[in-house]
Amino acid sequence: MEISIRKWLILSTAFWPLVCPKDIPLTLGGIFPMSGSWAGGVACKPAVMMALEMVNNRPDILPRYHLNMQYNDSQCMPGLGTKVLYQLLYDKPTKIMVLSGCSSVSTFVAQAANMWNLIVLAYGASSPALSNRERFPMFFRTHPSATVHNPTRVKLFKHFKWNRIATIQETQELFTSTIEDLEKRVKEAGIDIAVRQSFLTDPTNAVRNLKRQDARVIVGVFYEDMARRVFCQAYKEKLYGKKYVWLIIGWYPDNWYRTRDDRHNCTVEQLEEALEGHLTTEAVILHQENTTTDVGMMPQEFTQRLNKELNTSDPSLITGYPEAPLAYDAVWALAFALNKTANKLAEKGMSLEQFNYSNKEIAQEIYSAMNSTKFLGISGNVAFSSQGDRIARTQIEQMINGTYHKLGYYDSLADNFTWFGTDRWIGGKPPLDHTHVIDHLRVVSKTLYFSMCALAIVGILAGAFCLIFNYRNRQRRCVAFSQPNINSLTVLGCMSCLACIFLLGLDGKFVSPDVYPLVCQIRAWVLSLGFTLSYGSMFSKIWTVHQLTTSRKKDRKGVQIWELYTVLAVLLVLDVGVLSAWQVLDPLKRELEVFAQEDPTDTEEDIQLRPQLEHCNSENLSVWLGVLFGYKGILLIFGIFLAYETRSVKLKQVNDSRFVGMSIYNVVVLCVITAPISLIIGNQQDATFAFVSLAIILCSFLSLGLIFVPKMMELYKHPQRDGQEVRSLTDSLVSREEEERHLRMVSENEQLKKQIAEMEERVKDLNVRLQKKMQQHSLMTSMSGTGTAPDETVPLLSNTSIHANAITATTTVIVKPASASQDGDLLSEHGTRYQLDDGIIPVDGNSDSGLASWSLTKSSKTSASDSEPFC
């Protein structure tokens, strides 16, 4: 059937002009961009001439009319295109319709032609702005609108799950309208345009901004000449490869990037490298089935004839070659419309040759005919929407190894998406729409965690051994005199702190976010109470030792165990109160600290890691930590003060006070170092965990070692109860009798100090009285004028002597104990006898002077005046 129709068309075409010649000319105006940004007229004008020839040879199309064309070059420049239009209008004959190419030119031509009642039919204009019937009421086009690509682009975005895109456009109305329409469609689809860039003449900065803002899926709309400059800059910015995908217009020639262009400095190979893997969308402009169309030609035959007209073996190098079928069908569309109009006008007694630029009636008939035209052409089904746009489906292509390959089709009217699955991507899979950021929870290294846990287990086992040792040897003196119950509490506290190491390392790798706040609470309770048990027990012992050594109470006989428990209980109650208030009023919760994004080191995937670190936090964390650190810090300072004050004290009731003091030194130093540093390095999980864990381990091991190792060594050396273990442990422990004697001697020493002070005052008084006696004696001797036997000089109290008759003699008085004489007298070294006033000599053998408070007189058989005591 198709062959017979084709034969009939050939025969009628050959013989009809002889039977009924087409002698009435109808002139068309043609505006072709033969050069400029899009020189589509190079391929489209020959296609138009082929169509005119075919139409004029068809007897069933415009049987009385012969179509002619006047045309000129617009260079795809709006101003020059408008000038060409006016030349066509003012040059005879009257043009019944105008063909136009290039969107920028068609925009001005369509607006102006409306004033002359001219229908404008564009074969190469895709600007969405031309769909505005208010601005362009007499405009039609066989080239689909650029917006026909947008539904296909949105379909591709959904197919590849791209939800973030970027756009770059040349500042032309065609491309601006296209991007505006795309923005509406992607917004409805829930897709975000994250980056928008535009340029007028130089795309350098726009491409750099795409790179800077991490654009990955890039929709580019620009003319062919500008596309080469864009991808040259993309090559320089490394904006291509497995991380990027470009979607550009598909109506460029297949080898468009190979065209020589002095406005960029990239080689063809560099452009090909930058273009590898990019996608194009374009309307299907060549009928896909090899069947005869309504224009009497099959697509393959049209291609062969066009190639022959262009005289080229590689038509992909010819600009406008993809649009040539549209130009060919444009002539047939207007021919069918004019043919229908001629029939309508014949019914009214009118004809096409009566058309002039003021005849609206004929212009309206032509418009109506165009609006209803529908046929199967070389470019496929040709029909026009109410906006004058071509209704067409689109095809998707991808450049693979420098060649475009079809990937599928999309019919937006039927929402029919056909995908061949032949796409190929650098890296083996489609690029992501952006660098995927993966939350990466920073956790403590498993090696570090299990190492610290192993040390903690060793410490807990050591603590258990100490508890067993303490219990089994509680009756031995070296253990009994060290307050074993308090020591057991110290061990339990250390074991609790060591157990907290397991909790400190529990993070997201072990527990869920819901359980983490509970772990935070348990950490605070276990560590705080464990510290109070261990350090508080040692503090209570050192406090008691200090009280024993500084108390002036004479009846203090030993350590009261209830005092130790009282001190510890007060500290525990304070801890429980603070922790309970904290948990009730401002409980700890899980908080994530987010760090700057990092590139992964173990993969080449297009991903980045967003490090996160778990923290236990509350609204007033600093206040609660201040309270806890405050009173515990005071406790540490007071403890080290007491340990220093009692560093040399040795008591039988607390025989390990020196070792307890050393433990307190170690705990204070490690806590003072650990607390501030752990807050400073809190964002380094491994360092913080290791530092805190080692501090707990060192404090626990040192405390257990100092308190229990000496006792173990003592019992090892003296396994039998020989009474030597306590003395050898402290080197100066004494019995109860010796301790009581020591207390008595301290009391007596105080009394002797008072007696010595009183005696010194008495000695001073005696010296004064002695001087007075000497002066009186000298005066009496000088007045009597009689010789007197020389008296013996009696030295009294050290170097003081009595002088008589100008003869000085030194005689030492030897004071002997009262038992030396029966009558209580004292004899001098020369036999001189002295007697106390009251006959009693209080002798203090331990005083410095050897004298207490007493008087001394000379015993002789002299006058009454001489026997009067002089001291």
Side-chain angles (χ1 to χ4, degrees):
M1 183 65 179
E2 292 180 356
I3 296 176
S4 61
I5 294 175
R6 186 179 180 188
K7 288 182 177 179
W8 179 83
L9 289 173
I10 294 174
L11 291 174
S12 62
T13 300
F15 295 104
W16 184 259
L18 300 176
V19 178
C20 183
K22 296 184 176 184
D23 52 359
I24 303 175
L26 293 176
T27 305
L28 305 173
I31 303 175
F32 295 96
M34 306 303 294
S35 59
S37 60
W38 182 69
V42 175
C44 291
K45 188 173 75 69
V48 168
M49 294 307 177
M50 287 172 53
L52 286 175
E53 181 182 356
M54 291 290 293
V55 168
N56 288 329
N57 291 332
R58 280 279 297 267
D60 57 327
I61 304 297
L62 297 172
R64 298 174 51 239
Y65 299 98
H66 185 275
L67 295 180
N68 301 317
M69 176 172 284
Q70 291 182 1
Y71 58 88
N72 210 334
D73 181 14
S74 68
Q75 299 181 17
C76 201
M77 298 175 62
L80 183 57
T82 305
K83 178 182 178 182
V84 171
L85 172 65
Y86 286 126
Q87 288 177 349
L88 293 173
L89 291 174
Y90 290 112
D91 291 345
K92 297 295 183 179
T94 300
K95 313 306 183 294
I96 195 168
M97 291 183 71
V98 175
L99 291 176
S100 175
C102 193
S103 293
S104 58
V105 172
S106 299
T107 300
F108 287 88
V109 169
Q111 283 182 301
N114 180 48
M115 306 301 297
W116 277 266
N117 296 312
L118 273 175
I119 299 293
V120 176
L121 180 58
Y123 56 84
S126 60
S127 173
L130 293 169
S131 300
N132 190 340
R133 268 289 179 246
E134 294 181 0
R135 289 181 59 191
F136 313 104
M138 306 291 282
F139 178 78
F140 294 88
R141 51 184 167 184
T142 55
H143 193 296
S145 170
T147 57
V148 77
H149 302 274
N150 289 337
T152 306
R153 289 167 179 153
V154 173
K155 197 69 178 180
L156 284 173
F157 299 154
K158 292 181 177 179
H159 178 73
F160 291 111
K161 299 180 180 179
W162 292 329
N163 296 317
R164 180 181 182 270
I165 65 171
T167 62
I168 180 172
Q169 67 167 91
E170 185 180 356
T171 307
Q172 297 282 351
E173 186 179 23
L174 161 65
F175 307 123
T176 301
S177 302
T178 302
I179 295 300
E180 289 175 354
D181 179 76
L182 179 63
E183 288 179 349
K184 295 178 182 178
R185 294 179 184 273
V186 298
K187 185 177 181 181
E188 294 174 356
I191 300 171
D192 178 40
I193 299 182
V195 185
R196 297 172 176 85
Q197 293 295 320
S198 62
F199 61 91
L200 184 61
T201 57
D202 186 4
T204 301
N205 290 332
V207 175
R208 286 176 179 171
N209 289 336
L210 290 176
K211 177 72 173 182
R212 188 178 301 115
Q213 298 183 48
D214 195 32
R216 298 304 178 90
V217 181
I218 307 168
V219 178
V221 286
F222 25 70
Y223 283 118
E224 174 189 336
D225 62 330
M226 200 58 70
R228 287 187 285 268
R229 299 179 63 184
V230 168
F231 279 96
C232 179
Q233 188 63 35
Y235 175 82
K236 296 176 181 178
E237 298 294 334
K238 303 298 182 183
L239 200 63
Y240 66 93
K242 66 179 182 180
K243 294 183 179 180
Y244 305 94
V245 59
W246 288 77
L247 288 87
I248 63 174
I249 298 170
W251 39 258
Y252 305 151
D254 286 349
N255 293 326
W256 60 272
Y257 61 92
R258 296 182 180 274
T259 302
R260 181 178 179 82
D261 192 342
D262 295 333
R263 289 183 293 178
H264 68 81
N265 55 2
C266 292
T267 64
V268 174
E269 291 74 18
Q270 290 173 339
L271 289 177
E272 184 174 339
E273 181 180 350
L275 287 165
E276 181 65 24
H278 81 272
L279 301 175
T280 66
T281 56
E282 62 176 319
V284 177
I285 51 180
L286 188 65
H287 187 48
Q288 300 300 306
E289 299 178 6
N290 195 22
T291 58
T292 302
T293 63
D294 294 341
V295 298
M297 187 182 296
M298 291 187 296
Q300 185 177 2
E301 184 181 355
F302 167 79
T303 302
Q304 292 172 354
R305 288 189 60 182
L306 181 61
N307 292 345
K308 185 177 180 181
E309 290 289 334
L310 295 174
N311 192 24
T312 180
S313 59
D314 188 4
S316 62
L317 297 176
I318 306 299
T319 304
Y321 185 83
E323 289 76 25
L326 303 177
Y328 184 85
D329 284 347
V331 175
W332 279 99
L334 66 86
F336 284 126
L338 290 175
N339 188 62
K340 186 181 295 185
T341 302
N343 295 331
K344 289 284 185 179
L345 291 176
E347 295 176 359
K348 298 179 181 181
M350 301 173 65
S351 61
L352 288 174
E353 62 268 23
Q354 295 176 350
F355 173 78
N356 57 56
Y357 299 137
S358 60
N359 195 327
K360 292 186 177 181
E361 185 177 358
I362 296 178
Q364 188 61 39
E365 289 292 341
I366 298 174
Y367 174 84
S368 298
M370 282 292 298
N371 212 28
S372 61
T373 297
K374 185 177 181 180
F375 65 95
L376 178 61
I378 297 299
S379 62
N381 290 315
V382 179
F384 302 101
S385 67
S386 58
Q387 289 80 29
D389 294 334
R390 168 76 179 273
I391 300 174
R393 65 173 182 166
T394 56
Q395 69 179 14
I396 304 144
E397 294 183 323
Q398 182 183 37
M399 177 173 281
I400 302 174
N401 296 327
T403 305
Y404 284 104
H405 296 266
K406 288 184 176 62
L407 301 182
Y409 297 94
Y410 180 62
D411 185 351
S412 59
L413 292 178
D415 192 23
N416 183 19
F417 183 65
T418 304
W419 189 253
F420 302 150
T422 57
D423 51 316
R424 293 172 56 186
W425 302 96
I426 301 174
K429 61 180 181 179
L432 302 175
D433 57 358
H434 64 283
T435 301
H436 276 203
V437 178
I438 299 176
D439 291 335
H440 174 66
L441 186 64
R442 288 183 174 178
V443 296
V444 176
S445 168
K446 288 186 177 181
T447 303
L448 176 62
Y449 177 72
F450 289 118
S451 299
M452 293 296 110
C453 288
L455 291 176
I457 291 173
V458 173
I460 292 173
L461 293 176
F465 179 77
C466 291
L467 286 176
I468 296 172
F469 169 83
N470 200 46
Y471 177 78
R472 295 187 62 180
N473 297 281
R474 64 188 182 280
Q475 301 300 331
R476 301 293 294 269
R477 295 184 66 187
C478 65
V479 175
F481 289 163
S482 66
Q483 303 301 323
N485 293 333
I486 298 298
N487 289 342
S488 296
L489 293 177
T490 301
V491 175
L492 291 176
C494 291
M495 293 174 68
S496 298
C497 292
L498 290 170
C500 190
I501 293 177
F502 295 91
L503 298 174
L504 291 174
L506 287 181
D507 45 31
K509 68 177 179 291
F510 294 116
V511 297
S512 64
D514 296 333
V515 179
Y516 192 79
L518 178 61
V519 175
C520 293
Q521 298 288 354
I522 297 175
R523 280 183 194 171
W525 281 87
V526 172
L527 185 58
S528 183
L529 294 179
F531 175 83
T532 301
L533 273 177
S534 57
Y535 181 80
S537 300
M538 295 186 292
F539 178 83
S540 65
K541 292 173 71 173
I542 209 71
W543 166 272
T544 303
V545 171
H546 185 269
Q547 289 293 97
L548 286 174
T549 56
T550 58
S551 176
R552 294 181 178 270
K553 295 181 179 181
K554 299 179 181 179
D555 57 348
R556 189 74 179 245
K557 297 298 183 182
V559 177
Q560 302 297 324
I561 190 65
W562 63 267
E563 294 182 358
L564 299 174
Y565 288 125
T566 301
V567 173
L568 184 58
V570 169
L571 298 178
L572 286 174
V573 168
L574 187 60
D575 250 11
V576 172
V578 173
L579 291 173
S580 299
W582 187 0
Q583 184 169 352
V584 173
L585 301 177
D586 189 16
L588 288 169
K589 57 185 178 181
R590 179 177 182 264
E591 184 178 86
L592 289 178
E593 180 182 2
V594 181
F595 300 90
Q597 296 177 6
E598 301 173 350
D599 293 323
T601 58
D602 55 349
T603 180
E604 295 183 358
E605 297 291 333
D606 185 19
I607 60 175
Q608 278 194 327
L609 303 179
R610 180 168 50 211
Q612 297 177 337
L613 185 60
E614 291 176 312
H615 290 290
C616 295
N617 196 15
S618 60
E619 293 183 3
N620 300 301
L621 179 65
S622 57
V623 175
W624 297 109
L625 289 181
V627 173
L628 278 176
F629 288 174
Y631 78 79
K632 289 185 184 294
I634 294 173
L635 193 64
L636 290 172
I637 295 173
F638 195 31
I640 200 171
F641 167 75
L642 295 179
Y644 178 79
E645 286 290 309
T646 59
R647 64 192 180 279
S648 59
V649 174
K650 302 166 186 177
L651 295 178
K652 183 182 70 173
Q653 290 89 340
V654 188
N655 61 12
D656 57 354
S657 60
R658 285 188 302 168
F659 300 118
V660 171
M662 294 172 64
S663 299
I664 290 177
Y665 292 150
N666 293 322
V667 172
V668 171
V669 171
L670 288 172
C671 289
V672 168
I673 294 174
T674 303
I677 293 181
S678 62
L679 294 176
I680 295 173
I681 63 174
N683 57 357
Q684 303 176 35
Q685 72 282 0
D686 285 343
T688 303
F689 175 72
F691 202 79
V692 174
S693 298
L694 287 176
I696 293 174
I697 291 170
L698 287 175
C699 286
S700 301
F701 275 69
L702 288 174
S703 298
L704 295 177
L706 287 171
I707 293 175
F708 286 97
V709 170
K711 297 179 179 63
M712 294 178 184
M713 294 178 64
E714 175 62 22
L715 294 184
Y716 178 77
K717 293 178 180 178
H718 303 89
Q720 302 299 325
R721 302 175 184 267
D722 54 6
Q724 300 297 321
E725 56 195 31
V726 177
R727 183 172 287 104
S728 60
L729 182 62
T730 60
D731 294 331
S732 64
L733 294 180
V734 294
S735 63
R736 181 180 299 272
E737 294 78 9
E738 291 172 339
E739 185 176 351
E740 292 176 353
R741 180 185 176 189
H742 170 72
L743 294 176
R744 287 197 305 270
M745 292 178 66
V746 169
S747 178
E748 292 175 358
N749 186 49
E750 294 292 333
Q751 295 177 2
L752 290 174
K753 287 181 180 179
K754 292 180 181 179
Q755 291 181 4
I756 290 172
E758 294 174 358
M759 184 193 67
E760 294 294 338
E761 292 295 327
R762 182 64 175 167
V763 168
K764 290 181 182 179
D765 184 55
L766 291 175
N767 283 331
V768 173
R769 293 174 63 183
L770 179 60
Q771 293 294 334
K772 290 181 180 181
K773 291 291 184 179
M774 290 175 59
Q775 292 176 1
Q776 291 176 4
H777 183 72
S778 299
L779 181 61
M780 291 175 63
T781 303
S782 61
M783 291 177 62
S784 63
T786 61
T788 304
D791 294 336
E792 295 175 347
T793 301
V794 181
L796 185 64
L797 304 177
S798 304
N799 297 324
T800 305
S801 59
I802 303 174
H803 301 274
N805 296 328
I807 298 174
T808 303
T810 302
T811 304
T812 303
V813 177
I814 301 174
V815 180
K816 297 182 180 179
S819 60
S821 176
Q822 297 295 329
D823 56 1
D825 294 338
L826 297 179
L827 298 178
S828 71
E829 202 173 43
H830 299 283
T832 305
R833 182 180 297 275
Y834 294 91
Q835 186 178 19
L836 293 173
D837 290 337
D838 54 3
I840 300 174
I841 302 175
V843 178
D844 190 350
N846 293 325
S847 67
D848 293 336
S849 62
L851 300 175
S853 181
W854 47 278
S855 300
L856 185 65
T857 57
K858 181 177 180 181
S859 178
S860 61
K861 297 178 181 180
T862 59
S863 62
S865 61
D866 293 332
S867 65
E868 185 178 352
F870 63 90
C871 62

